[in-house]
Amino acid sequence: MPGNVILEIKNLHVYYLTETETAKAVRGVNLEIRAGESVGLVGETGAGKTTTCLSVMRLVPDPPGVIVDGEINFKGENLIFADEKRCRAIRGEGISMIFQDPMTALNPVMTVGEQLMEVVREHNKKLSKAEAKALVIRSLERVGVKGDRFNDYPHQFSGGMKQRVIITMALLCEPELLIADEPTTALDVTIQAQVLDIIRGLQRETGASMLLVTHDLGVVAETCDRVAIMYAGNIVELGTVKEVFRNKRHPYTEGLFNSIPRLENENRRLMPIDGLPPNPADLPEGCAFHPRCRRRLPICEREAPPMKGEGHIYACHL
Ligand code: SF4
């Protein structure tokens, strides 16, 4: 049963500013995550999912990225006002992130063991070298990497094995919140399920909360307690997995579900969503989804819809 709110994102706006344009990547996101809870963040490429995660980590590249408004409260502390030293401390202990591409998250000229040792010793300065090494080996073995690979370099690992190393690195800090940004996208399909199982198992074992970014609704169904559907920089529907999967309220959510194949209904026609997501530097007036929405009303072109509902909420004029 999820506990107290540990992360509260309030009215978050993040823009990327260049000399010629302002890309509004995140536009008023509100999201809470409770202790032990797992929340899926779903949407097409460019919806602002990664920018939301990077904002929580305070890793939005600046310039060109700027958090222009909002709050990111982690256990009651607004991270927007945290200085770099404080952000580093929180990244080390409170919040860890597993990035999409394991290739770029490891240092190619250091052995995997050295990199993990650095994390352990930064996190727990009292451990001796031998104790830290024993902890690293135990942690690697927990995710199915043999301890004798401690002295290997990242290029000697397959993609799936590298992602296991990254998971080990993220969990060595014993985070209270784990952010996993499409953790299996760069991996071979045959090992995606294994890696997800590892993440899910460890998250449950440690009691950490998780924000899982994915475009795969099947993964959400298996992994998450609640799901937030994101479109053009905002959350358009949010609720428990059961509520959203059984009773989709937003036409965009419906579109996402209609565009995935189902084994039990082979003859069903897939209905991809018309058109493409909008350019965040040139968003349509009114509801950002209206140019693609088959159910739009005249008001949709003029007015952005307010969020409706309680618990299971959605932003739509219908
Ligand atoms: Fe479609 Fe209008 Fe709802 Fe937007 S507000 S999703 S355009 S019906």
Side-chain angles (χ1 to χ4, degrees), residues 250-251 287 289-290 293 295-297 300 305 316-318:
H250 196 280
C287 171
F289 187 57
H290 87 254
C293 183
R295 298 168 67 186
R296 67 174 169 263
L297 307 166
C300 305
C316 179
H317 287 301
L318 286 179

Side-chain angles (χ1 to χ4, degrees), residues 216-260:
D216 188 334
L217 289 160
V219 167
V220 170
E222 281 178 34
T223 313
C224 300
D225 302 302
R226 285 191 302 139
V227 58
I229 310 289
M230 202 162 175
Y231 186 78
N234 222 331
I235 289 174
V236 295
E237 183 159 3
L238 170 72
T240 63
V241 166
K242 220 180 194 174
E243 285 165 344
V244 175
F245 276 54
R246 287 197 181 155
N247 186 17
K248 299 163 263 304
R249 305 306 299 264
H250 196 280
Y252 178 62
T253 314
E254 268 173 17
L256 287 180
F257 276 86
N258 288 340
S259 50
I260 47 173

Side-chain angles (χ1 to χ4, degrees), residues 187-299:
L187 305 180
D188 197 312
V189 274
T190 53
I191 48 165
Q192 287 184 354
Q194 289 171 16
V195 169
L196 267 176
D197 275 349
I198 291 170
I199 295 175
R200 198 163 37 218
L202 291 174
Q203 183 239 340
R204 286 190 185 144
E205 208 178 290
T206 59
S209 310
M210 177 158 73
L211 179 60
L212 174 68
V213 174
T214 179
H215 55 261
D216 188 334
L217 289 160
V219 167
V220 170
E222 281 178 34
T223 313
C224 300
D225 302 302
R226 285 191 302 139
V227 58
I229 310 289
M230 202 162 175
Y231 186 78
N234 222 331
I235 289 174
V236 295
E237 183 159 3
L238 170 72
T240 63
V241 166
K242 220 180 194 174
E243 285 165 344
V244 175
F245 276 54
R246 287 197 181 155
N247 186 17
K248 299 163 263 304
R249 305 306 299 264
H250 196 280
Y252 178 62
T253 314
E254 268 173 17
L256 287 180
F257 276 86
N258 288 340
S259 50
I260 47 173
R262 301 235 179 88
L263 277 178
E264 75 272 17
N265 192 353
E266 289 173 14
N267 297 326
R268 191 179 66 104
R269 269 192 74 198
L270 294 184
M271 299 237 297
I273 304 171
D274 297 333
L276 294 170
N279 176 355
D282 186 18
L283 290 164
E285 291 281 305
C287 171
F289 187 57
H290 87 254
R292 306 174 73 190
C293 183
R294 293 179 184 176
R295 298 168 67 186
R296 67 174 169 263
L297 307 166
I299 189 178

